[in-house]
């Protein structure tokens, strides 16, 4: 009932906007400008940031539209051709049943997003990430009709399959989202996707013709020199205990971390003798990544070391933000390891590739809700020459 109301309310919003479009006719054009949009956190949307940077380097003016919860990469902030267009995240709607909250949020997001898209300078193209696509695809399509622009959808996954992780595939809300995604997806002018499997599925099941554009790590994803590693470790040691030297006294001089130290004889940085192994994983802390798998594996590692197996002590860094972070932090706090330390920081955009390039093993627990997408974090890890242990899926 509420799901149907959401669609009707969204239809009313679109009808109002259509009337505005008839009232104000706009000539096609846009001078080659591009609006790159994601109804999510720009700082945690690396592929869309890369799109914006690539377009800017080819002489396009870019409006990068989304939530500004996390700081985007410095290259984005320094570009003279990229303008950040903030969208306010609607965290405050907490009144009434959950379905009612969802309906209200969809409607308010539709109005808000349309308002923002009609305020920017006229673009020639709107490049939209999906998911999330409800209500973003419909709103972007309508904005393109208003501006006489072209709509490009970058398919990272299907939004309805992500929704099914919480509600089940047969839930009415999921079925409506599936219908909506296929309907408005077919109204796009061009489509990109992340794998050939998704390209084929889009064509067979949705009658949408897409071009596969594989993820590629940015140039700053590479092995980190030892001197840069030391500086990063020292910076992180100011806030996170696992990066501090374990055997250091209270009078810690600041010339040594858990992984590196400065040689007093020549001033060069070297690896510490008792250096622990560094394992890293990044996550959005959502239902499609089950971190209990990693925690169980760490319990097994701890048991092996306790039984006398010669393995190094371990520092496990899990970086990211998301809805399930507090839940998993609660599980982590119940663990009492002697040979393993776990921390869950949020790294600055420039520090994340440096830590990847310093680690010994990467872990990816992403399990695709559709079985068609691939996590970009693995591509970034490969760019840093980091071996990856990942969940297998077709």
């Amino acid at each position: 009932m509420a799901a149907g109301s959401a669609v009707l309310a969204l239809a009313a919003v679109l009808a109002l906007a259509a009337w505005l479009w008839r009232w104000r006719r706009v000539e096609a054009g846009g001078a080659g400008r591009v609006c790159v949009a994601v109804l999510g956190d720009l700082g945690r949307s690396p592929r869309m940031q890369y799109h914006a940077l690539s377009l800017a380097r080819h002489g396009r003016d870019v409006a990068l539209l989304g939530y500004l919860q996390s700081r985007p990469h410095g290259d984005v902030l320094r570009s003279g051709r990229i303008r950040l267009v903030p969208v306010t995240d609607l965290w405050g709607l907490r009144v009434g049943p959950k379905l009612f909250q969802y309906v209200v949020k969809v409607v308010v997001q539709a109005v808000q997003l349309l308002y923002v898209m009609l305020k920017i300078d006229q673009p020639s193209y709107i490049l939209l990430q999906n998911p999330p696509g409800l209500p973003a695809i419909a709103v972007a399509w309508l904005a393109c009709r208003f501006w006489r622009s072209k709509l490009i959808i970058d398919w990272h996954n299907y939004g309805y399959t992500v929704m099914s992780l919480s509600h089940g595939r047969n839930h009415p809300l999921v079925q409506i989202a599936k219908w909506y995604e296929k309907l408005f997806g077919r109204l796009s002018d061009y489509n990109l996707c992340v794998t050939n499997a998704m390209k084929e599925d889009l064509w067979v099941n949705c009658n949408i013709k897409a071009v596969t554009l594989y993820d590629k790590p940015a140039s700053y994803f590479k092995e980190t020199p030892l001197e840069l590693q030391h500086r990063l470790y020292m910076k992180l040691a100011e806030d996170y205990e696992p990066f501090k030297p374990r055997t250091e006294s209270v009078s810690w001089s600041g010339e040594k971390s858990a992984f590196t130290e400065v040689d007093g004889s020549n001033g060069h940085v070297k690896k510490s003798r008792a250096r622990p192994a560094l394992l890293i994983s990044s996550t959005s802390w959502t239902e499609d990544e089950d971190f209990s798998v990693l925690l169980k594996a760490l319990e097994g590692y701890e048991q092996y070391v306790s039984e006398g197996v010669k393995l190094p002590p371990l520092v496990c860094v899990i970086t990211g933000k998301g809805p399930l972070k507090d839940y998993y932090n609660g599980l982590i706090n119940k663990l009492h390891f002697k040979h393993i330390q776990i921390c869950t920081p949020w790294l600055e955009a420039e520090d994340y590739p440096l830590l990847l390039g310093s680690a010994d093993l990467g872990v990816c627990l992403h399990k695709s809700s559709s079985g068609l997408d691939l996590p970009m974090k693995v591509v970034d890890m490969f760019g840093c020459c980091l071996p990856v242990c990942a969940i297998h899926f077709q």
Side-chain angles (χ1 to χ4, degrees), residues 294-366:
L294 176 59
L295 299 182
K296 190 70 176 177
L298 293 176
E299 288 178 339
Y301 189 96
E302 175 75 14
Q303 184 177 346
Y304 280 130
V305 177
S306 299
E307 292 173 352
V309 178
K310 292 186 177 179
L311 293 170
L314 189 64
V315 171
C316 176
V317 178
I318 309 172
T319 178
K321 292 180 181 178
L324 295 180
K325 184 172 183 177
D326 290 341
Y327 168 75
Y328 281 110
N329 271 333
L331 296 182
I332 291 169
N333 291 334
K334 294 178 182 177
L335 301 173
H336 301 287
F337 293 140
K338 292 183 179 179
H339 307 95
I340 300 173
Q341 292 178 288
I342 305 174
C343 65
T344 57
W346 170 249
L347 298 175
E348 294 179 9
E350 287 80 7
D351 289 341
Y352 175 63
L354 294 179
L355 192 60
L356 280 189
S358 308
D360 301 296
L361 178 67
V363 172
C364 174
L365 296 174
H366 174 84

Side-chain angles (χ1 to χ4, degrees), residues 124-128 137 140-145 147-155 183-192 207-211:
S124 297
Y125 302 91
I126 293 180
L127 171 56
L128 176 72
I137 300 177
W141 170 78
L142 193 59
C144 284
R145 302 286 71 76
W147 287 124
R148 306 282 184 90
S149 306
K150 300 291 186 181
L151 174 60
I152 307 170
I153 300 178
D154 190 9
W155 297 82
L183 172 66
F184 281 94
R186 285 195 288 265
L187 297 177
S188 60
D189 297 286
Y190 306 103
N191 295 274
L192 306 174
N207 198 30
I208 295 173
K209 188 175 182 180
V211 174

